[in-house]
Amino acid sequence: LSTTCAREHSRFAGIGAIARQAGVPPCLVALRTVPRGAAPPHMKAKKAAQVLGVNEGDDEATITAAFRTRAAQWHPDRNEGNRDEATRRFEEINRAFRALNQNGNTAGEAMDLSEMLLFFQFMMGGASQPTEDAAALSVSELKKRLEERGVDYAGCVEKSDLVELLERETAEDQRRVAKARRAARKKAQQRRKKAREKAERNSSEEQDAALVRVADAVSSGDAALARSALDEAERAHLAPGDKYARLFEHARELVRRADEDEARAREAAASEKASREKLEAKKERREARRRAEERAEAEARRKKELREAARKEKKQKRREARAAA
């Protein structure tokens, strides 16, 4: 047991006995736990990525490396001066990793601090804390260690008996740690298996729904429905195979014919628009020529009237001149 854990255990009566009943060594018992069934609020992926210092789209290796770094940084045993804050940050880092974990959907399950410490030990490769040399301890220290473990040493007379008893208890604790680690590994494997099975079921349901939509589109002859059904089948990674190859070929043929009809309709519309524009241009040119001819005729009439008025004026002046003469 580390000195820190031994000191913290003294604050709680009977915690060593409770730990042994649960099959967990006292050094890994939570100082404050989350009651089973009272799961902490689910952490969003964006928040979890910020806590771990990664991006939401990073691969599992990057997320795991970030978890190991941050969890080791905020491990409660490494932050004696600020243990409460370290414990809070350590729990937050664990929840963030579980929220981003791609191996299983475990973000909504409660995990107390002891389980988090075991999980951290498993993720760090199963490395255990270095053990003390019992033979190097004094008799009073040996007795103190045994008392902290709740072990009765009344029958021990020699120091060697105390050393043997403490070593036996330490070995038993290590065995329990190994057992808890194996249980945690098995639980993680079961979670990953369930997650894979769930993903396979969801994928199978999506593929079945896409296949039904393709069949409905072919039976109804709806090209738009066939297009959306083929897109859905592609998103569901549905490989039709030999059994449904003809069905998918019919759906693709519907889409191809619809595309051809749409292309022909666009060409006809473009041709009609060009003809209409050409006719409008011809009408505009004809109208421009007519207006130009009208202006020319009006100008010619005006000039003729001016010449006629000038001729009459000259004739009148000559007549007046003869009359005056």
Side-chain angles (χ1 to χ4, degrees), residues 201-276:
R201 287 196 301 271
N202 293 338
S203 177
S204 177
E205 292 174 358
E206 292 176 358
Q207 291 178 357
D208 292 343
L211 183 61
V212 170
R213 289 198 63 187
V214 172
D216 292 342
V218 171
S219 62
S220 63
D222 190 342
L225 181 59
R227 190 189 306 276
S228 62
L230 289 174
D231 292 341
E232 183 179 347
E234 184 177 357
R235 287 193 300 270
H237 305 289
L238 175 60
D242 297 336
K243 186 175 182 180
Y244 301 107
R246 189 62 180 168
L247 178 66
F248 275 73
E249 185 62 29
H250 280 305
R252 296 190 187 96
E253 182 66 18
L254 283 175
V255 174
R256 186 183 64 80
R257 290 179 181 176
D259 291 341
E260 291 178 354
D261 293 342
E262 185 178 355
R264 283 195 296 268
R266 285 197 300 268
E267 291 177 359
S271 177
E272 183 180 356
K273 182 179 179 181
S275 299
R276 190 165 55 249

Side-chain angles (χ1 to χ4, degrees), residues 125-144:
S128 60
Q129 298 293 331
T131 58
E132 293 179 308
D133 184 8
L137 299 176
S138 64
V139 174
S140 59
E141 289 175 340
L142 289 171
K143 291 181 178 180
K144 183 179 179 181

Side-chain angles (χ1 to χ4, degrees), residues 21-241:
Q21 291 176 5
V24 179
C27 62
L28 296 179
V29 174
L31 302 181
R32 57 183 180 88
T33 61
V34 178
R36 181 65 64 182
H42 175 64
M43 183 178 291
K44 299 292 182 65
K46 183 177 181 180
K47 172 66 174 176
Q50 292 176 353
V51 170
L52 294 180
V54 297
N55 297 321
E56 295 183 43
D58 286 346
D59 56 11
E60 185 177 356
T62 303
I63 296 174
T64 302
F67 164 76
R68 287 175 175 174
T69 302
R70 301 261 173 151
Q73 177 185 358
W74 289 101
H75 196 285
D77 288 344
R78 298 185 181 182
N79 296 269
E80 294 299 329
N82 194 13
R83 190 175 184 87
D84 292 339
E85 176 66 15
T87 301
R88 185 187 67 79
R89 295 291 296 272
F90 186 76
E91 292 175 349
E92 185 181 37
I93 290 167
N94 274 271
R95 291 200 304 272
F97 177 73
R98 287 154 62 80
L100 293 178
N101 184 17
Q102 300 176 0
N103 289 333
N105 184 17
T106 61
E109 300 177 7
M111 177 185 282
D112 60 25
L113 184 58
S114 60
E115 292 175 325
M116 290 182 183
L117 291 169
L118 283 174
F119 180 70
F120 169 74
Q121 191 178 43
F122 168 71
M123 291 300 297
M124 295 300 288
S128 60
Q129 298 293 331
T131 58
E132 293 179 308
D133 184 8
L137 299 176
S138 64
V139 174
S140 59
E141 289 175 340
L142 289 171
K143 291 181 178 180
K144 183 179 179 181
R145 297 290 190 275
L146 292 172
E147 288 173 357
E148 290 170 351
R149 294 169 177 268
V151 179
D152 183 14
Y153 56 86
C156 299
V157 179
E158 301 292 337
K159 177 181 178 180
S160 58
D161 296 335
L162 295 174
V163 171
E164 182 181 357
L165 181 59
L166 181 58
E167 289 178 347
R168 188 164 59 248
E169 288 295 324
T170 302
E172 182 67 17
D173 284 344
Q174 292 176 351
R175 185 189 66 79
R176 287 169 180 153
V177 169
K179 182 179 179 181
R181 189 181 303 126
R182 288 193 299 270
R185 186 181 297 111
K186 183 177 180 181
K187 189 175 182 180
Q189 291 174 351
Q190 291 174 349
R191 287 171 176 169
R192 289 195 292 269
K193 182 179 179 181
K194 289 180 180 179
R196 285 195 298 269
E197 291 175 350
K198 182 178 179 180
E200 290 174 358
R201 287 196 301 271
N202 293 338
S203 177
S204 177
E205 292 174 358
E206 292 176 358
Q207 291 178 357
D208 292 343
L211 183 61
V212 170
R213 289 198 63 187
V214 172
D216 292 342
V218 171
S219 62
S220 63
D222 190 342
L225 181 59
R227 190 189 306 276
S228 62
L230 289 174
D231 292 341
E232 183 179 347
E234 184 177 357
R235 287 193 300 270
H237 305 289
L238 175 60

Side-chain angles (χ1 to χ4, degrees), residues 286-304:
R286 187 183 298 117
E287 184 65 22
R289 285 197 301 269
R290 185 184 64 78
R291 287 195 296 268
E293 290 173 356
E294 289 179 353
R295 286 194 299 271
E297 291 177 357
E299 184 66 19
R301 285 195 300 269
R302 188 181 67 81
K303 289 180 179 181
K304 183 178 179 181

